[in-house]
Amino acid sequence: MYTCGIDIGSVSTEVVILENSNGKDNAKIYSYVISPTGANSKIAAEKALEKACSQSGLDRSSLDAIVATGYGRINIPFADKNITEISCHARGAISAFAGTRTVIDIGGQDSKVIKLEDGNPIDFLMNDKCAAGTGRFLEVMARALEIDLESFTDIFLSTDGHVDISSTCTVFAESEIVSLIGQGVDKNKIIRGLIYSIVSKITSMVERIGLEEPVCMTGGVAKNLGVVRALEEKLNVKINIPEEPQITGALGAAYLALNL
């Protein structure tokens, strides 16, 4: 049995194909794809699915069920069902780390915190009205600093001290960064300050929903170990990271497709 999960985000689209040969607990990732969403979520999903099928040597008719999730899920007519990203990220996190109680997901344009009980989501908070606390925030700041975003982790881990960033709005924070650069402030300390700024936003969400361990972090920003380490420091917990955190929603959708 082959099932497919498609997570259509505002920045990227992820597709996961699961192979299930002997019960749901034995399902394994057969192939996955991460690609830009662009201006048309339906076209992005079509192309990503085609690529995932090509990688696995399957065609679409071989897929027993397809579940779509993410902000563009309702625009995917070939999906058998669409399910909220809350449920899909919860299921994906559980597949990676059984017993997870809190999921922190930081994507390109939104962030969310999900509380789980017995593997099921019982509460959540989402920040989807402002880019602060998301991957987009880091991208804008990297451009303002003229430093590759990939360098942020090493800079965070190797720099002592940081500059407090007072602005929580991405637009105002960018202006603040430009001003700090003009004053000759160390860019490395600014970067640490930016990471702590994101972490402060996420920590506030976690505290509002109530922290329960074990904690799993998903989404593209989970690849930035600077953000992960800062979160662990502020929350005083160990954070588990899936092998490929960006596909967690699509992975959860593929697992939920096993129930169709």
Side-chain angles (χ1 to χ4, degrees), residues 106-185:
I106 309 179
Q109 301 253 25
D110 67 31
S111 53
K112 61 186 79 72
V113 179
I114 309 167
K115 179 184 283 190
L116 309 182
E117 187 174 286
D118 299 324
N120 299 307
I122 58 172
D123 199 3
F124 73 92
L125 283 174
M126 180 178 288
N127 167 40
D128 59 357
K129 304 299 183 185
C130 175
T134 69
R136 178 61 176 164
F137 178 85
L138 286 176
E139 290 176 0
V140 171
M141 299 309 142
R143 186 172 64 245
L145 287 161
E146 298 182 338
I147 294 177
D148 289 338
L149 184 55
E150 290 74 17
S151 303
F152 275 33
T153 292
D154 289 340
I155 290 172
F156 179 86
L157 297 176
S158 63
T159 302
D160 292 325
H162 68 277
V163 177
D164 288 327
I165 307 299
S166 59
S167 302
T168 57
C169 168
T170 302
V171 175
F172 293 151
E174 184 177 12
S175 297
E176 186 174 351
I177 296 309
V178 172
S179 176
L180 289 170
I181 293 172
Q183 296 170 33
V185 175

Side-chain angles (χ1 to χ4, degrees), residues 52-93:
C53 285
S54 176
Q55 285 182 358
S56 60
L58 300 171
D59 55 45
R60 193 180 299 184
S61 63
S62 303
L63 302 176
D64 295 279
I66 300 174
V67 166
T69 190
Y71 98 104
R73 65 185 182 275
I74 61 174
N75 298 321
I76 311 304
F78 54 82
D80 296 294
K81 188 174 184 179
N82 65 73
I83 298 177
T84 69
E85 55 264 48
I86 302 302
S87 296
C88 291
H89 274 274
R91 183 63 185 86

